[in-house]
């Protein structure tokens, strides 16, 4: 089940970066992302109404705070993808396990070397497409790592379904509120942008976050973080083959550094199994 869930997560999120770029071309990224998350959360709450029963205020507040971190980061990436290539954004976000290592226990010398190599790759990518938004993507990856570590460490979360629903609803509401408050302009939305929005709501949000939360509650954060070196490769392939994004030598060099660093960092950590929370 863990292997199947990991593969499903890779596919859901590997296709999400190109979908975010398509959506953001003609739809307001923050408001549209918020609407997608909110719709997914409402759909999940409707399909699993018993999941939220018995939810305490403390559990709700914890899940909501983590949801704002995770989904706020993703909404920020969608905003950046108006000018940043989807493949580049995916590779910069791929440094997630390195951020998790920095935020977790003190790394060993070998771990510190892996982290240094990985962030050297991030520096290459941000330098290759130097813009404020590329650095915003890097910051969003750091915020996402905070949410990931908090999810893995806290013992005060409800079951996976309830956690996912609360995260989607809270993150969606916050992004929608920010998008509305900043007066995001709506251009002339294309059919492709609407389809990308629907895809993000159903596949990226509902399926992806459901799998992600279940995995974090079932196995180790290090094992779950393996998606970070599969997703960017898949995202880059889709972006280059179907969206005609350029594939430059410096981008390949940065990708090799990041993926190699992340792969060795994750493999160096022995996965620890956890008892699944079966509460619905």
């Amino acid at each position: 089940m863990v292997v199947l869930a990991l593969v499903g997560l890779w596919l859901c999120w590997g296709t999400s970066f190109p979908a975010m770029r398509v959506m953001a071309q003609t739809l307001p990224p923050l408001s549209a992302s918020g609407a997608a998350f909110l719709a997914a959360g409402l759909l999940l709450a409707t399909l699993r109404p018993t999941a939220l029963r018995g939810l305490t205020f403390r559990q709700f507040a914890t899940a909501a705070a983590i949801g704002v971190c995770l989904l706020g980061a993703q909404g920020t990436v969608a905003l950046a993808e108006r000018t940043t290539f989807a493949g580049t954004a995916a590779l910069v976000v791929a440094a997630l396990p390195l951020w998790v290592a920095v935020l977790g226990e003190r790394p060993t010398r070998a771990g510190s070397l892996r982290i240094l190599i990985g962030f050297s790759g991030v520096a290459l990518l941000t330098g290759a497409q130097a813009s404020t938004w590329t650095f915003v993507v890097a910051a969003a990856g750091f915020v996402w790592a905070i949410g990931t570590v908090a999810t893995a460490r806290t013992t005060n979360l409800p079951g996976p379904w309830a956690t996912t629903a609360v995260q989607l609803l809270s993150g969606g509401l916050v992004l929608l509120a920010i998008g509305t408050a900043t007066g995001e302009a709506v251009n002339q939305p294309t059919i492709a942008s609407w389809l990308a929005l629907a895809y993000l709501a159903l596949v990226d949000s509902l399926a992806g976050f459901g799998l992600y939360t279940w995995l974090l509650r079932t196995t180790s954060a290090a094992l779950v973080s393996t998606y970070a070196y599969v997703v960017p490769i898949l995202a880059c392939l889709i972006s280059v083959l179907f969206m005609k994004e350029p594939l430059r030598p410096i981008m390949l060099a940065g990708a090799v550094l990041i993926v190699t660093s992340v792969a060795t960092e994750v493999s160096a950590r022995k996965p620890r199994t956890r008892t699944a929370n079966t509460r619905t």
Side-chain angles (χ1 to χ4, degrees):
M1 290 297 295
V2 169
V3 172
L4 290 176
L6 276 172
V7 173
L9 181 64
W10 296 342
L11 293 174
C12 288
W13 283 357
T15 54
S16 67
F17 284 91
M20 281 191 285
R21 182 160 173 80
V22 172
M23 178 200 72
Q25 295 305 304
T26 58
L27 285 172
L30 293 178
S31 299
S33 297
F37 297 144
L38 188 59
L42 290 173
L43 179 59
L44 180 58
T46 301
L47 293 175
R48 300 296 295 265
T50 59
L52 299 176
R53 290 180 184 173
L55 191 68
T56 67
F57 176 78
R58 188 177 178 185
Q59 288 177 321
F60 176 85
T62 303
I66 294 174
V68 171
C69 279
L70 296 176
L71 301 177
Q74 183 164 335
T76 303
V77 172
L79 179 64
E81 282 196 35
R82 292 182 304 175
T83 56
T84 303
F85 291 130
T88 302
L91 287 169
V92 172
V93 174
L96 169 68
L98 306 180
W99 285 122
V100 171
V102 170
L103 294 171
E105 65 272 14
R106 185 176 180 180
T108 62
R109 289 184 179 180
S112 298
L113 179 60
R114 290 190 294 267
I115 291 171
L116 180 61
I117 292 173
F119 285 131
S120 296
V122 173
L124 270 181
L125 287 172
T126 53
Q129 194 180 344
S131 72
T132 302
W133 290 113
T134 311
F135 290 100
V136 168
V137 172
F142 177 71
V143 174
W144 184 282
I146 293 174
T148 298
V149 172
T151 302
R153 286 183 175 178
T154 185
T155 58
N156 193 41
L157 286 173
W161 289 110
T163 298
T164 303
V166 172
Q167 288 177 343
L168 288 169
L169 292 171
S170 59
L173 283 172
V174 169
L175 283 173
L176 196 57
I178 294 175
T180 302
T182 55
E184 281 190 313
V186 180
N187 299 318
Q188 294 181 340
T190 62
I191 294 177
S193 290
W194 285 118
L195 290 175
L197 177 61
Y199 184 86
L200 289 169
L202 296 175
V203 178
D204 171 63
S205 304
L206 190 60
F209 275 94
L211 290 169
Y212 185 66
T213 301
W214 183 83
L215 283 165
L216 282 176
R217 303 296 298 280
T218 305
T219 187
S220 69
L223 181 61
V224 179
S225 294
T226 57
Y227 82 84
Y229 60 86
V230 177
V231 165
I233 296 174
L234 183 57
C236 282
L237 286 174
I238 294 173
S239 301
V240 171
L241 294 176
F242 298 102
M243 301 179 68
K244 308 303 180 184
E245 291 186 1
L247 185 61
R248 293 166 292 178
I250 194 169
M251 182 177 177
L252 285 175
V256 169
L257 287 174
I258 293 172
V259 173
T260 301
S261 174
V262 169
T264 53
E265 172 64 26
V266 172
S267 63
R269 294 168 174 266
K270 293 181 180 180
R272 55 182 176 81
T273 55
R274 300 174 62 180
T275 302
N277 188 332
T278 56
R279 178 181 168 185
T280 57

